[in-house]
Amino acid sequence: MGMWNQIAQYLYIKKRDSDTPKNFSIKFMHGINRISIFLFLIGLIILAFKLLRR
């Protein structure tokens, strides 16, 4: 699976692959990855606003 497909699945843009295993550890790991991607995007938006306000 490609990196862009995985990111699209984390951000609920693309439907999850039905062949992936469904245990608690993987579900928790994907949740943490989803949170980190959202925080990174929020940080980029804040940085862009700060740079544009100068």
Side-chain angles (χ1 to χ4, degrees), residues 3 6 12-14 20 23 29 33 35 41 43 48 54:
M3 179 183 70
Q6 191 72 33
Y12 300 112
I13 297 171
K14 184 178 176 187
T20 58
N23 63 13
M29 178 190 68
N33 286 343
I35 291 169
L41 292 175
R54 283 187 157 187

Side-chain angles (χ1 to χ4, degrees), residues 5-33:
N5 287 336
Q6 191 72 33
I7 292 173
Q9 288 178 8
Y10 286 155
L11 299 176
Y12 300 112
I13 297 171
K14 184 178 176 187
K15 193 171 184 178
R16 271 183 31 143
D17 187 13
S18 61
D19 295 335
T20 58
K22 297 178 181 176
N23 63 13
F24 179 74
S25 298
I26 292 177
K27 197 177 221 183
F28 189 72
M29 178 190 68
H30 288 304
I32 295 296
N33 286 343

Side-chain angles (χ1 to χ4, degrees), residues 38-51:
F38 282 132
L39 288 177
F40 178 73
L41 292 175
I42 289 170
L44 284 179
I45 291 169
I46 291 171
L47 184 64
F49 279 132
K50 284 186 176 185
L51 288 174

